[in-house]
mmCIF file of all heavy atoms in Angstrom:
data_model
loop_
_atom_site.group_PDB
_atom_site.id
_atom_site.type_symbol
_atom_site.label_atom_id
_atom_site.label_comp_id
_atom_site.label_asym_id
_atom_site.label_seq_id
_atom_site.Cartn_x
_atom_site.Cartn_y
_atom_site.Cartn_z
ATOM 1 N N LEU A 136 -37.032 11.046 -17.006
ATOM 2 C CA LEU A 136 -36.667 11.790 -15.751
ATOM 3 C C LEU A 136 -36.412 13.220 -16.055
ATOM 4 O O LEU A 136 -36.693 14.207 -15.379
ATOM 5 C CB LEU A 136 -35.403 11.082 -15.115
ATOM 6 C CG LEU A 136 -35.755 9.751 -14.340
ATOM 7 C CD1 LEU A 136 -34.476 8.904 -14.134
ATOM 8 C CD2 LEU A 136 -36.502 10.077 -12.958
ATOM 9 N N LYS A 137 -35.553 13.425 -17.104
ATOM 10 C CA LYS A 137 -35.153 14.796 -17.478
ATOM 11 C C LYS A 137 -36.339 15.680 -17.779
ATOM 12 O O LYS A 137 -36.410 16.855 -17.366
ATOM 13 C CB LYS A 137 -34.158 14.695 -18.700
ATOM 14 C CG LYS A 137 -33.413 15.871 -19.009
ATOM 15 C CD LYS A 137 -32.355 16.134 -17.959
ATOM 16 C CE LYS A 137 -31.696 17.456 -18.007
ATOM 17 N NZ LYS A 137 -30.855 17.768 -16.783
ATOM 18 N N SER A 138 -37.314 15.110 -18.504
ATOM 19 C CA SER A 138 -38.518 15.876 -18.703
ATOM 20 C C SER A 138 -39.424 16.119 -17.516
ATOM 21 O O SER A 138 -40.290 16.999 -17.475
ATOM 22 C CB SER A 138 -39.233 15.474 -19.964
ATOM 23 O OG SER A 138 -39.640 14.097 -19.874
ATOM 24 N N ALA A 139 -39.243 15.233 -16.473
ATOM 25 C CA ALA A 139 -40.109 15.325 -15.289
ATOM 26 C C ALA A 139 -39.641 16.327 -14.281
ATOM 27 O O ALA A 139 -40.436 16.769 -13.418
ATOM 28 C CB ALA A 139 -40.191 13.912 -14.692
ATOM 29 N N GLY A 140 -38.322 16.731 -14.300
ATOM 30 C CA GLY A 140 -37.837 17.632 -13.345
ATOM 31 C C GLY A 140 -36.335 17.822 -13.445
ATOM 32 O O GLY A 140 -35.631 17.234 -14.256
ATOM 33 N N ASP A 141 -35.867 18.785 -12.526
ATOM 34 C CA ASP A 141 -34.521 19.134 -12.599
ATOM 35 C C ASP A 141 -33.689 18.173 -11.650
ATOM 36 O O ASP A 141 -33.338 18.534 -10.493
ATOM 37 C CB ASP A 141 -34.223 20.539 -12.109
ATOM 38 C CG ASP A 141 -32.845 21.079 -12.181
ATOM 39 O OD1 ASP A 141 -32.052 20.439 -12.904
ATOM 40 O OD2 ASP A 141 -32.556 21.976 -11.428
ATOM 41 N N PHE A 142 -33.477 16.878 -12.172
ATOM 42 C CA PHE A 142 -32.884 15.882 -11.205
ATOM 43 C C PHE A 142 -31.379 15.586 -11.548
ATOM 44 O O PHE A 142 -30.995 15.880 -12.826
ATOM 45 C CB PHE A 142 -33.648 14.681 -11.455
ATOM 46 C CG PHE A 142 -35.159 14.666 -11.097
ATOM 47 C CD1 PHE A 142 -36.081 14.279 -12.062
ATOM 48 C CD2 PHE A 142 -35.552 15.178 -9.868
ATOM 49 C CE1 PHE A 142 -37.386 14.341 -11.677
ATOM 50 C CE2 PHE A 142 -36.866 15.255 -9.484
ATOM 51 C CZ PHE A 142 -37.842 14.856 -10.421
ATOM 52 N N ASP A 143 -30.720 15.238 -10.553
ATOM 53 C CA ASP A 143 -29.397 14.694 -10.794
ATOM 54 C C ASP A 143 -29.529 13.168 -11.224
ATOM 55 O O ASP A 143 -30.094 12.324 -10.376
ATOM 56 C CB ASP A 143 -28.653 14.786 -9.471
ATOM 57 C CG ASP A 143 -27.111 14.266 -9.619
ATOM 58 O OD1 ASP A 143 -27.027 12.955 -9.599
ATOM 59 O OD2 ASP A 143 -26.186 14.971 -9.806
ATOM 60 N N ILE A 144 -29.119 12.788 -12.440
ATOM 61 C CA ILE A 144 -29.350 11.497 -12.907
ATOM 62 C C ILE A 144 -28.093 10.816 -13.186
ATOM 63 O O ILE A 144 -27.272 11.093 -13.939
ATOM 64 C CB ILE A 144 -30.254 11.532 -14.217
ATOM 65 C CG1 ILE A 144 -31.393 12.336 -14.066
ATOM 66 C CG2 ILE A 144 -30.576 10.128 -14.685
ATOM 67 C CD1 ILE A 144 -32.162 12.757 -15.370
ATOM 68 N N SER A 145 -27.939 9.576 -12.386
ATOM 69 C CA SER A 145 -26.831 8.699 -12.633
ATOM 70 C C SER A 145 -27.292 7.575 -13.535
ATOM 71 O O SER A 145 -28.434 7.166 -13.430
ATOM 72 C CB SER A 145 -26.314 8.264 -11.278
ATOM 73 O OG SER A 145 -25.818 9.179 -10.470
ATOM 74 N N VAL A 146 -26.370 6.995 -14.208
ATOM 75 C CA VAL A 146 -26.643 5.722 -14.951
ATOM 76 C C VAL A 146 -25.620 4.678 -14.798
ATOM 77 O O VAL A 146 -24.589 4.988 -14.237
ATOM 78 C CB VAL A 146 -26.807 6.025 -16.499
ATOM 79 C CG1 VAL A 146 -28.003 6.947 -16.756
ATOM 80 C CG2 VAL A 146 -25.540 6.754 -16.977
ATOM 81 N N SER A 147 -25.861 3.397 -15.262
ATOM 82 C CA SER A 147 -24.870 2.480 -15.225
ATOM 83 C C SER A 147 -23.778 2.550 -16.308
ATOM 84 O O SER A 147 -23.991 2.981 -17.385
ATOM 85 C CB SER A 147 -25.625 1.094 -15.309
ATOM 86 O OG SER A 147 -26.192 1.067 -16.538
#
Side-chain angles (χ1 to χ4, degrees):
L136 282 160
K137 195 71 194 167
S138 53
D141 183 20
F142 302 124
D143 176 283
I144 307 167
S145 298
V146 293
S147 58

